[in-house]
Amino acid sequence: MKRDFFRTALACGLLALGSTTQAQTALTDIDQAVKAAQAKQLPVFIDFSAIWCHSCHEMDAKVLNGTDWDQRQSRFVLVRSDADSVNGSTWMKKLSVPALPTYVVLNPDGSERGRLTGEFTRAKFYPALDRLLSGADSLSKLKADALHGSTEAVAKVLRAYRDRNQQQEGLRWYASLPVATRNAVKADPDASTRLAAIEAHAEMTAMIEGGRRDMIDAELRKETDPAKRKAMRELIGPLPASMPVSRRAALAKDCRVHAQQALNGPMELEQHFDIAGTLLECTGTLPKPEQKALVSAQLPALKALYDTKIPTAGSGALRGATYTLASYYRALGDSAGEQATYQRAIAIGRKALGDGHGGFDVKRDQAMAEVFGEFLSRYGSPSDKNEDLALQKAMVEAYPDNAFYQTEYGGSLLRQGHAAAALPYLQRAADNASAQNKLGYTHSLAKALIALNRRPEAEKLFNAALQTAEKQFPTETKMEMTVWKQSGGVL
């Protein structure tokens, strides 16, 4: 998926329509924003983001700025919510926000009016935002329009459920519509494609969840150490009910049918690769020869789309499309094709960011720099390692307040045995970390201190961060501690 790194203030006013429009300073606490909205009787615009979110950077740099953005700020109370803060994570759970970036519009009373999820072009974002702010595309209005036969409204409601990761609920809502409306949807290319996509996603999710119990049981049986098995069991939590193999196979078959229907309809670039990934996921229950035949049939069109569109697309499309295409090659056992796909992505990133002198201009496209760095570190050749480190260094120098970049670079130095060089970066990361990242970043800092023979200081810092984390995020902290213990101890 995953990802801004949003700051707490907006740019200054711009000249618009012959007058100056002053951009408002964003709030960071959603509860405070709702109170301000109630006093002003304005909606709330929540920008959910995080410092590790490359798509958030993409939107911040290319969409949420300029006259278009500033002119609309008098129409809402703006809040830039860090998804890793206590307040942000609480509201994300409350509003069922499963991915970043997500932009939610609340009514003055705090109820949701609607949302926009993912990356948008400027040309598509602002008309969609205007319709949300006016109430024309509020979820309640769209559902009312759908009841009166609007296939466009049906498609938008289905997307709203998809954006909440509530596909099953969306399908139940769709099934409640009049027969005439459902027939009209099936005859409408856009609406029927949206329907097929959400059906495929819902079937894939149910299929995977249905097989999760068997996979978990198998993994637990492999572990012969009772203590480790107990720790694994605690980490997993409540187990899902088992599902008959025949039922999972039926879901997978329906998923393949619906995914192929969606792929044959009108879809945007990122959606196309997303649904292609869903199709591949649902081939796993097939015998190997049948799976390879289906994957081989899809691959040429997928590769042609990648070759023609992805080199000039944004970082989000590059990331998603690369992983999907590589997974198709992997399903065929074609490791050379898989690696070539990653190398193509690396070459695209290198071309986008190269400064002409062997270095990188990471400020040219921050989101692309993140995606390029991800592929370079994971799939680069041994000769690319120095380039990867140089890119990380460029990122910490260009964005010194970004704790994620600091801990990434510091962690790389630490793994190379340069604890003293890593220390200031890891210290800066721990000092500037959001609440949900504080424990993990402090853990890395403590490791560096231990490597420098400063264990008492390391344990004091880590234990203080642990106490806070246990209060703020008890479930997540327990899981993190279990993982560390399983991998050889906390410190």
Side-chain angles (χ1 to χ4, degrees):
M1 145 41 260
K2 224 80 346 98
R3 289 155 139 205
D4 185 51
F5 322 140
F6 281 106
R7 303 126 207 129
T8 59
L10 286 179
C12 60
L14 294 172
L15 190 64
L17 301 178
S19 63
T20 301
T21 303
Q22 184 66 37
Q24 63 173 298
T25 299
L27 298 173
T28 57
D29 185 287
I30 299 173
D31 295 290
Q32 291 179 4
V34 171
K35 290 180 181 178
Q38 289 172 345
K40 298 177 181 180
Q41 280 302 291
L42 289 173
V44 178
F45 179 93
I46 308 173
D47 176 357
F48 282 110
S49 55
I51 62 166
W52 43 261
C53 169
H54 74 86
S55 292
C56 303
H57 288 307
E58 183 86 1
M59 289 292 291
D60 217 21
K62 299 180 181 179
V63 179
L64 302 184
N65 52 45
T67 305
D68 290 331
W69 178 236
D70 290 343
Q71 285 180 339
R72 286 165 174 80
Q73 290 186 45
S74 62
R75 299 170 62 186
F76 52 74
V77 173
L78 174 63
V79 53
R80 299 261 192 168
S81 177
D82 182 354
D84 293 326
S85 68
V86 175
N87 182 261
S89 62
T90 298
W91 273 88
M92 284 183 69
K93 291 176 183 176
K94 180 178 179 179
L95 295 171
S96 298
V97 176
L100 300 179
T102 291
Y103 310 98
V104 178
V105 175
L106 302 181
N107 295 309
D109 64 2
S111 61
E112 182 177 343
R113 183 176 298 183
R115 68 180 65 187
L116 302 171
T117 298
E119 293 183 28
F120 287 77
T121 62
R122 184 180 291 269
K124 290 189 176 181
F125 180 81
Y126 286 103
L129 176 58
D130 287 341
R131 291 185 64 82
L132 268 185
L133 293 174
S134 70
D137 273 0
S138 68
L139 191 56
S140 58
K141 175 71 163 51
L142 289 173
K143 286 185 174 181
D145 291 345
L147 277 174
H148 290 92
S150 170
T151 57
E152 180 183 8
V154 172
K156 289 181 177 179
V157 173
L158 289 174
R159 170 154 188 168
Y161 278 110
R162 173 76 177 97
D163 288 345
R164 291 163 174 77
N165 199 27
Q166 296 173 341
Q167 295 92 330
Q168 293 290 357
E169 292 90 333
L171 292 176
R172 283 194 287 271
W173 168 81
Y174 175 76
S176 71
L177 293 174
V179 174
T181 300
R182 284 182 277 146
N183 288 337
V185 166
K186 292 175 182 178
D188 180 275
D190 289 326
S192 61
T193 297
R194 174 60 57 190
L195 174 62
I198 195 173
E199 287 175 323
H201 280 296
E203 288 147 359
M204 178 193 72
T205 301
M207 177 196 73
I208 292 173
E209 186 66 14
R212 197 163 73 89
R213 175 64 180 260
D214 293 341
M215 290 187 290
I216 291 171
D217 286 341
E219 288 300 314
L220 288 173
R221 285 194 296 269
K222 289 179 185 178
E223 182 52 67
T224 57
D225 186 325
K228 288 186 177 181
R229 190 187 306 118
K230 181 181 178 182
M232 289 173 63
R233 185 67 186 79
E234 290 177 352
L235 179 63
I236 292 166
L239 290 175
S242 185
M243 179 182 288
V245 174
S246 59
R247 175 56 182 157
R248 296 206 301 271
L251 283 168
K253 181 179 179 180
D254 290 342
C255 170
R256 293 192 296 272
V257 170
H258 291 132
Q260 287 175 306
Q261 287 176 355
L263 287 172
N264 290 329
M267 303 190 79
E268 295 181 357
L269 184 63
E270 289 187 67
Q271 293 173 330
H272 190 98
F273 280 97
D274 178 58
I275 201 69
T278 298
L279 173 61
L280 180 61
E281 195 75 53
C282 293
T283 65
T285 59
L286 290 173
K288 282 296 180 184
E290 291 183 36
Q291 182 192 35
K292 287 189 173 184
L294 191 154
V295 172
S296 296
Q298 293 290 329
L299 185 58
L302 206 59
K303 186 177 185 305
L305 188 61
Y306 188 101
D307 291 342
T308 56
K309 300 292 186 181
I310 294 303
T312 57
S315 58
L318 172 64
R319 184 178 187 274
T322 298
Y323 280 124
T324 296
L325 184 59
S327 66
Y328 268 69
Y329 282 114
R330 186 163 58 252
L332 293 172
D334 185 350
S335 58
E338 180 184 0
Q339 187 59 29
T341 302
Y342 292 129
Q343 290 302 314
R344 180 76 189 281
I346 290 171
I348 291 170
R350 187 180 286 128
K351 181 179 179 180
L353 299 169
D355 62 5
H357 306 287
F360 301 107
D361 181 3
V362 297
K363 285 196 171 183
R364 185 186 304 164
D365 192 333
Q366 184 179 1
M368 181 63 78
E370 284 203 348
V371 172
F372 173 47
E374 181 178 329
F375 286 126
L376 198 61
S377 62
R378 292 184 181 181
Y379 306 106
S381 63
S383 61
D384 292 330
K385 296 305 177 185
N386 289 336
E387 188 178 35
D388 180 29
L389 199 63
L391 177 66
Q392 290 183 31
K393 185 176 182 181
M395 293 293 279
V396 299
E397 291 174 348
Y399 305 100
D401 294 331
N402 188 302
F404 176 70
Y405 300 158
Q406 301 293 326
T407 201
E408 286 287 290
Y409 183 53
S412 294
L413 292 173
L414 183 60
R415 285 189 293 274
Q416 292 183 358
H418 306 306
L423 189 63
Y425 298 103
L426 296 175
Q427 182 70 66
R428 197 174 301 129
D431 289 344
N432 296 326
S434 297
Q436 203 160 23
N437 297 325
K438 186 78 171 181
L439 182 62
Y441 290 4
T442 303
H443 182 257
S444 296
L445 172 61
K447 289 283 192 180
L449 290 168
I450 290 171
L452 294 170
N453 299 314
R454 295 164 61 178
R455 175 173 281 276
E457 182 182 353
E459 291 181 347
K460 182 179 179 180
L461 284 172
F462 180 79
N463 289 333
L466 176 60
Q467 288 181 5
T468 301
E470 286 176 333
K471 294 176 183 177
Q472 295 176 331
F473 306 101
T475 302
E476 294 85 346
T477 300
K478 182 179 180 181
M479 292 175 65
E480 200 159 16
M481 291 292 289
T482 301
V483 169
W484 284 331
K485 289 175 181 177
Q486 284 185 317
S487 61
V490 176
L491 292 179

